[in-house]
Amino acid sequence: MKKTNSCPAKYSGIGGQAVMEGVMMRNGDKYAVAVRKPNKELAVVSDEYKGIAPKAVYKIPFVRGVFSFIDSLVLGMKTLNISTEYFMEDEEGNKAEKTAADSAMGGAVMVISMIFAIGLFMVLPYFASLFFKKYIENPHLLALVEGLIRMAIFVIYILGISMMDDIKRVFMYHGAEHKCINCLETGNPLTVDNVRAASREHRRCGTSFLLYVMVISIIFFAFIQTDSRILKIVMRIVLVPVIAGVSFEFIRLAGKSNNFLVRAFSVPGLLMQRLTTSEPDDEMIKVGIASVEAIFDWKKYLAENFSVKTDENADIDDKTEIEGLRGQT
């Protein structure tokens, strides 16, 4: 079977992320988390998440990106907690009892992580760029230096965490997530063989989004200038949602358009994904397939968009624990 390329032929509307020993997929308000448990069984949890804002807000360009970014953080933490519960099961399949303190701790971790990320990728590069101020008088050029430092920190950070064994496995599940989506969007039935042959790079990936946040921040900070050092720091914090909104619009366009320029501008993000995705094994691919099937009728999608009719079932022979719809959030 020929290897599929990374350019989506038909937009499916599904997206996802890797979690601890699993994959989360989302389609509209529905999402599912499929996890490989310590006893090697496959567990699938499906639920609904409608977002923090009214539906009308998600139709407003640039504004929708801010709320979609927040939604991705909230849902990402929620699904990560679900996968962690299964990951921490004992060999008999008993889950550790979750307390209110555990939930509060999870929220605190998310807040602390956000503060750390803003400090590391937005504030620290500004202070680092001040070392070049004695050599560079042009503020626009200095903003470029700051941006290059920001991107260097980002790449070093990714390379650093990729050395961790747990993260290596997360990156493999990240590859499984991309491969499942690429398999469908290039018109192939969702089987292990087809998914294995698909590309592990995708233009709508969160890695690409973060890279474009870095690039777009260079443009913002080059043209928005002030002599106050305090205001410069404040701007780098306050403008994060705005920059995220602009970056979201490009990622959204990249996922739907095959325009030459869009594909060209997508290349850096695809190259960066080589650091954050790895080739998954077949068991990981089965996890990704299970997550897709819980929220997406892929046979109908292939029939409508590629005229592909199939009675094939994904070849998942695992014993699967289905928790079903947990309730609306």
Side-chain angles (χ1 to χ4, degrees):
M1 179 171 294
K2 67 179 181 179
K3 191 175 180 66
T4 57
N5 59 47
S6 61
C7 297
K10 292 287 185 179
Y11 177 68
S12 66
I14 59 175
Q17 71 173 55
V19 293
M20 290 294 293
E21 290 300 323
V23 174
M24 182 274 284
M25 291 288 188
R26 185 181 183 186
N27 177 30
D29 293 336
K30 298 178 181 178
Y31 73 89
V33 184
V35 180
R36 182 70 65 185
K37 299 165 63 176
N39 61 8
K40 304 307 178 183
E41 291 181 1
L42 184 58
V44 180
V45 177
S46 59
D47 205 338
E48 293 185 357
Y49 179 79
K50 294 185 177 296
I52 63 171
K55 291 296 182 184
V57 172
Y58 294 94
K59 297 180 181 180
I60 305 173
F62 302 105
V63 174
R64 62 190 170 196
V66 177
F67 290 96
S68 295
F69 176 62
I70 297 173
D71 283 340
S72 67
L73 294 176
V74 174
L75 185 57
M77 181 58 67
K78 181 181 179 68
T79 55
L80 184 60
N81 287 338
I82 292 173
S83 67
T84 302
E85 288 179 25
Y86 283 108
F87 183 69
M88 298 300 291
E89 279 188 3
D90 58 29
E91 293 183 357
E92 286 72 36
N94 298 315
K95 296 181 183 179
E97 186 175 348
K98 191 173 182 180
T99 65
D102 293 329
S103 297
M105 180 64 72
V109 168
M110 185 174 73
V111 173
I112 293 173
S113 298
M114 279 295 299
I115 294 174
F116 173 78
I118 292 174
L120 180 63
F121 299 118
M122 289 298 176
V123 179
L124 179 60
Y126 166 68
F127 283 111
S129 70
L130 295 180
F131 288 104
F132 297 90
K133 196 171 183 179
K134 63 175 72 175
Y135 308 107
I136 303 174
E137 296 183 358
N138 188 307
H140 303 296
L141 186 56
L142 194 62
L144 175 60
V145 171
E146 177 188 343
L148 293 175
I149 294 173
R150 182 174 294 111
M151 295 179 68
I153 292 175
F154 178 61
V155 173
I156 292 171
Y157 173 80
I158 295 297
L159 288 172
I161 64 173
S162 66
M163 303 294 182
M164 303 167 61
D165 290 338
D166 287 344
I167 300 300
K168 287 180 181 178
R169 291 190 62 80
V170 170
F171 285 174
M172 291 173 74
Y173 278 107
H174 191 193
E177 175 226 330
H178 283 190
K179 280 174 168 285
C180 285
I181 297 174
N182 277 324
C183 175
L184 292 176
E185 293 187 338
T186 49
N188 296 301
L190 199 62
T191 65
V192 171
D193 287 341
N194 288 346
V195 172
R196 190 190 306 118
S199 171
R200 73 173 198 259
E201 299 160 5
H202 199 284
R203 297 208 305 252
R204 285 188 283 115
C205 175
T207 303
S208 295
F209 170 79
L210 292 176
L211 179 64
Y212 298 129
V213 165
M214 307 293 168
V215 174
I216 292 171
S217 69
I218 295 176
I219 300 173
F220 268 71
F221 300 144
F223 288 95
I224 303 176
Q225 295 287 334
T226 177
D227 293 331
S228 171
R229 183 172 294 183
I230 295 177
L231 282 179
K232 285 184 178 180
I233 296 173
V234 170
M235 282 195 308
R236 278 150 182 76
I237 298 173
V238 173
L239 289 178
V240 167
V242 180
I243 295 170
V246 176
S247 302
F248 174 83
E249 294 301 323
F250 181 78
I251 288 293
R252 189 172 185 272
L253 176 64
K256 294 184 176 182
S257 173
N258 277 316
N259 177 274
F260 170 77
L261 288 177
V262 173
R263 285 189 281 118
F265 283 119
S266 297
V267 170
L270 297 177
L271 292 175
M272 181 63 68
Q273 289 173 41
R274 295 183 182 180
L275 298 179
T276 62
T277 64
S278 298
E279 288 295 329
D281 59 33
D282 286 357
E283 298 307 306
M284 293 175 173
I285 289 174
K286 291 178 183 180
V287 172
I289 291 174
S291 185
V292 173
E293 291 197 318
I295 50 91
F296 189 69
D297 187 347
W298 60 267
K299 294 179 184 178
K300 179 180 178 182
Y301 165 81
L302 291 181
E304 292 177 349
N305 291 278
F306 297 93
S307 299
V308 174
K309 295 182 179 181
T310 175
D311 293 325
E312 292 182 74
N313 291 314
D315 44 345
I316 300 177
D317 52 7
D318 301 80
K319 178 182 178 183
T320 306
E321 173 188 334
I322 306 291
E323 290 208 359
L325 200 64
R326 283 188 164 189
Q328 186 171 302
T329 56

